[in-house]
Amino acid sequence: MPELSHRIGRISVSATAAMVNEAARLRAAGRDLVDFGAGEPDFPTPAHILESAIAALHAGDTKYTPTGGTEELKRAICQSHARDFRSDYQPNEVLATLGGKHALFNAMSVLVNHGDEVIIPAPYWVSFYDQVRYLGGAPVLVPTDEADGYALPVAAIERALTPRTKVILINSPANPSGAVYTAAAFQAVLEICRRRGLWLVSDECYIRLVYEQAPYSVACEPGSKSCLVISGSLSKTFAMTGWRLGYALGPAPVIAAMLSLQSHSTSNATSFVQKAGAAALLGPQAPINAMLDEYRRRRDLIVAGLRAITGITCALPGGAFYAYPNISGLLGKGRAATAAEFADRLLHQAGIVTVPGEAFGSQGHIRFSYATSREVIREGLSRLAQFTAAA
Ligand code: PLP
């Protein structure tokens, strides 16, 4: 077989996907698993969003749309972002994409040159690292500190800057830590980007899933627009992971460049999904608040349960739906040597699906997605307690 591109050799299948696949294999073989693996809401998409897509299909909304999205959807994105976060975007500063991952990929593709450095706080979401590598950039990982709740490490970011730095890529609430960065930290990083002529890329995938604070976007800061690119997603907020709808917000020339790329790759997001997306963004928001209340109860349940197990400590996640406990007290001395090995044993011996911290660039941790019922969480905690007592 002739050889593949060098580019594709720089990345591998996402470790989260690998865990999900192994769990699917075991389940198909009849194993009873407790699944904390996938970062996907267990709630159904709210009914009014479904109805909107169905009506759009019946109305014949089945053709190509403009590549960057319908005017209706782009206006809905601007309007809802302004309503929720006091931003000020116009339709020529918006691109509708096939999920947040796609928005991020298009953005990084038009911002990152070969050899450019991209600063990423760690632990990081898997695709940040691999997208930069695929594009020929160099991810520069800046560790966050568990002891201060994985706060945005502004001073360390400043120290990591070099003449080759091009982008600072941040994500709040963060996957996998659940950390929510303060407005002051965002302002400080924005100021660095302005001063040094860098791009700030802010992944707002979980922006409305915050438990203690009001949702915040750095787009509300005066003068932020000129160096800021936002990638947003409807996947988690509206329980729409399978619909594949996201967006980017940024300066018009960046959006035009992303549009050009998208015009030669995916073209538009699915026509009737765009209709449903506008309904999600501008329609009743009560179902979102109900989901958020339930996620909060689940967070409190799982964090308390994890903390009750000897050898485990767990920072309180302020947002998203992940707990990221430190399990280093359960490693070594004849037991699993690494979190990856621990997660593997947990899967095969206790039937608990998690994702090891190695996937996110950190050691001694495993990620639990608590986007699952409280009943499942209780069962998982009970199995985990038995497993750790026996190990
Ligand atoms: N960004 C982060 C931090 C995520 O965790 C995810 C999904 O897990 C995404 C973006 C992408 O989500 P989607 O492509 O479904 O919008």
Side-chain angles (χ1 to χ4, degrees), residues 223-303:
S224 61
K225 266 166 89 173
S226 61
C227 63
L228 176 64
V229 181
I230 286 171
S231 75
S233 172
L234 280 75
S235 289
K236 319 283 174 159
T237 309
F238 299 102
M240 291 179 73
T241 44
W243 298 66
R244 310 311 302 136
L245 190 61
Y247 56 86
L249 297 166
V254 176
I255 295 298
M258 292 170 69
L259 179 68
S260 164
L261 176 63
Q262 188 159 314
S263 75
H264 295 294
S265 53
T266 58
S267 295
N268 59 275
T270 304
S271 51
F272 48 90
V273 169
Q274 293 189 50
K275 205 69 183 176
L281 293 165
L282 297 182
Q285 303 294 296
I288 293 31
N289 296 331
M291 288 192 259
L292 185 62
D293 286 343
E294 177 58 21
Y295 285 136
R296 189 184 291 105
R297 282 190 281 272
R298 294 169 178 184
R299 175 197 66 164
D300 293 344
L301 176 66
I302 195 163
V303 170

Side-chain angles (χ1 to χ4, degrees), residues 298-310 312 314 325 377-378 380-382 384-385 388:
R298 294 169 178 184
R299 175 197 66 164
D300 293 344
L301 176 66
I302 195 163
V303 170
L306 289 167
R307 286 176 173 173
I309 295 174
T310 308
I312 295 184
C314 188
I377 293 172
R378 279 192 202 95
L381 287 169
S382 141
L384 180 66
T388 55

